[in-house]
Amino acid sequence: MDLPIGEYLQGWNPAAPPTGARLTGRTASLRRLTSDDARPLFARLHSAKAPQDWLYMPVGPFTSEAEFTDWCTSVAAVDDPLFYAMVAGENDTPFGFCSLMNIKPEGGSIEIGFVMVAPQYQKSTAFTEAMYLMARHAFDLGYRRYEWKCDALNHRSRRAAHRLGFSYEGLFRQAVVIKGRNRDTKWFSIIDSEWPELDKLYARWLDPANFDERGQQNLSLSRLTAPHIAQRDPDLPPE
């Protein structure tokens, strides 16, 4: 009896682990997070909006700069999750952090997670370019699958996933316990066959010609990526 079997990956080689090397774009860069980033990040991330912004994160908000510094020092010492500081332009002061995590070179999958951005940068070109640089880096390293996962109640994160070109894959019920609460997790991904076209769309969106003299976009990234999303989140409420 012939049974179905997965496609043979001719010439497949495991992906390379990320090293934390600096990733540089026109409006943003990423570099490995260090304990020295704790002070500027604490000031930017623990604003009046902190409870809302940290609500779905597995850590924080932190009660003091010292506590946040201890956390930054601890995560900066590990390679999975591999934490990066996001910085804007030539200014090396971080406006947020993120990580590459669940790094599986043998299977070719990697996840972007722990994404935390200062309020004034949440809808910025710099933040979007930082997310682009991370995705491009993952596929340049040879990964076949780039994942985005979030709390099913985190509508902002789910919308961001689609804006960035991730396709919806499903709901994992009672996936984890975060801060003593149940979390159902939504899964999204970009796979390597989808990336070349998305790469072009990011380049088109990031082109300075797409922005007016006030820095306002002429064509939204959501509009560009929408036709290339394999499946949309079926119960995502409108904004």
Side-chain angles (χ1 to χ4, degrees), residues 151-227:
D151 191 309
L153 300 176
N154 189 347
H155 300 159
R156 185 170 67 179
S157 184
R158 290 159 60 188
R159 292 189 188 97
H162 278 331
R163 176 177 178 268
L164 295 169
F166 287 82
S167 293
Y168 176 71
E169 292 188 329
L171 173 70
F172 279 50
R173 301 177 300 165
Q174 296 185 187
V176 291
V177 177
I178 299 292
K179 300 175 180 175
R181 297 179 182 273
N182 174 67
R183 187 180 105 165
D184 296 344
T185 297
K186 293 266 186 172
W187 285 50
F188 302 80
S189 74
I190 299 171
I191 58 175
D192 55 356
S193 60
E194 298 164 341
W195 178 247
E197 186 60 31
L198 287 172
D199 189 10
K200 294 176 185 176
L201 296 177
Y202 272 102
R204 181 179 174 187
W205 186 81
L206 288 165
D207 189 321
N210 187 44
F211 298 88
D212 63 21
E213 62 278 2
R214 298 172 299 164
Q216 298 299 309
Q217 64 184 357
N218 297 316
L219 185 61
S220 72
L221 184 60
S222 295
R223 183 176 175 184
L224 289 170
T225 58

Side-chain angles (χ1 to χ4, degrees), residues 109-128:
S109 69
I110 195 166
E111 178 184 347
I112 174 76
F114 282 97
V115 180
M116 187 66 181
V117 189
Q120 63 269 39
Y121 281 90
Q122 288 173 2
K123 295 184 179 181
S124 68
T125 304
F127 171 59
T128 300

Side-chain angles (χ1 to χ4, degrees), residues 9 22 41 71 80 100 108 117 127 143 145 166 189 236:
L9 301 179
R22 190 179 185 104
L41 279 174
W71 180 78
D80 189 358
L100 291 173
V117 189
F127 171 59
Y143 288 89
R145 171 180 172 82
F166 287 82
S189 74
L236 181 59

Side-chain angles (χ1 to χ4, degrees), residues 18 49 52 74 76 83 106 119 127 131 144 146 166 210-211:
K49 291 183 63 179
Q52 174 182 322
S74 68
F83 276 83
E106 296 80 8
F127 171 59
M131 292 295 95
R144 306 170 58 233
Y146 187 57
F166 287 82
N210 187 44
F211 298 88

